[in-house]
Amino acid sequence: EVQLVESGGGLVKPGGSLRLSCAASGFSFFNYVMNWVRQAPGKGLEWVSSVSSSSGSTYYADSVRGRFTISRDTAKNSLFLQMNSLRAEDTAVYYCVRSPGWSFDFWGQGTLVTVSS
Amino acid sequence: EIVLTQSPGTLSLSPGERATLSCRASQSVSTSFLAWYQQKPGQAPRLLMYATSSRATGIPARFSGSGSGTDFTLTISRLEPEDFALYYCQQYGSSPSPMYTFGQGTKVEIK
C-alpha cells in the first residue's frame, strides 16, 4: 500500500524557518517525481515544488523560489522541504505528493504550517 | 503561465442527476497534461482523471472526462451521495520551466 506521511509542520514566526519531511513507503520511491502542494485555509490548491526521480532537477513556484528548497533521500525513501524566510501567506497545509507523469496520483494527509507572530 | 478557470463556482444538484463541470485554460493545453481531482472536507485531494479522459485506479465509470485545446469537462453521469465534494482541474506546463497549475475549484452541493 502506498503511504506518504508528512511531518514537521507547526507554528513559526514571520522570517523563521521550518523543515518538512515526508516518509514514503509501499512503492519504488526512486522511480517517481515527488512534489509539495499546499492549500491555504479555505483556499484552493497551489503547487509548490517538484524534484526529479534522480534529484538532478528541482522546480519551484515563483511564490517560493529562492526561499524554499526541495530535496530527497532515496536511501531513506524521504522527501524534504526546507522553508526559509517564511511569510504569513505561506500558512497552509502542505501535502507530499507523488507524480507518475503529469498528474498527482497519491497524496499524504498533509502537515499544517502556520506563520504568525 | 497558463490560468485555469473553472465554472460554475458551485453546482447545486440532487442525487441521481448529471453534473457537468467546466475547466477553461488561458492557452491551449495538451490533453496529456490535464487532470481532475476530488476533495472532501478534511481530506487530501484524490486523483479522478488523468490525461483528460483516463480514470484513475478505483474511480467508478460514472466519472468521465473530455475536451481539448482550452476547454475541458468533467462529467458525473448520475450523482451518488459520496460525489458531493470540491473538484479541481490541473494542468502541467513546461514553458519556461516545468510547473503545475490548478483551477480554483467547483463545489458540487446537494440541492
Side-chain angles (χ1 to χ4, degrees), chain A residues 43-56:
Chain A
K43 302 297 184 182
L45 300 167
E46 180 188 18
W47 168 75
V48 172
S49 183
S50 300
V51 60
S52 66
S53 55
S54 64
S55 297

Side-chain angles (χ1 to χ4, degrees), chain A residues 52-112:
Chain A
S52 66
S53 55
S54 64
S55 297
S57 299
T58 56
Y59 308 99
Y60 300 93
D62 288 345
S63 57
V64 306
R65 186 176 293 113
R67 300 187 298 123
F68 290 11
T69 302
I70 191 171
S71 62
R72 65 193 295 165
D73 183 336
T74 300
K76 295 183 178 179
N77 285 356
S78 295
L79 178 71
F80 305 100
L81 186 68
Q82 178 66 43
M83 305 186 295
N84 298 332
S85 302
L86 282 162
R87 306 166 180 168
E89 55 265 36
D90 295 319
T91 294
V93 173
Y94 285 73
Y95 294 103
C96 169
V97 192
R98 187 181 85 166
S99 289
W102 319 121
S103 58
F104 303 120
D105 69 343
F106 276 98
W107 299 61
Q109 282 307 300
T111 187
L112 176 62

Side-chain angles (χ1 to χ4, degrees), chain B residues 3-69:
Chain B
V3 176
L4 299 179
T5 302
Q6 294 186 240
S7 62
T10 302
L11 202 49
S12 298
L13 295 167
S14 300
E17 290 193 293
R18 182 184 187 90
T20 303
L21 287 67
S22 173
C23 177
R24 179 160 290 177
S26 58
Q27 303 171 43
S28 184
V29 173
S30 167
T31 55
S32 298
F33 299 160
L34 197 289
W36 290 90
Y37 302 84
Q38 178 192 69
Q39 188 178 32
K40 297 179 181 179
Q43 296 184 16
R46 175 175 72 146
L47 177 66
L48 292 176
M49 313 291 302
Y50 64 95
T52 298
S53 58
S54 296
R55 278 188 298 277
T57 302
I59 302 304
R62 64 180 180 273
F63 290 91
S64 63
S66 63
S68 64

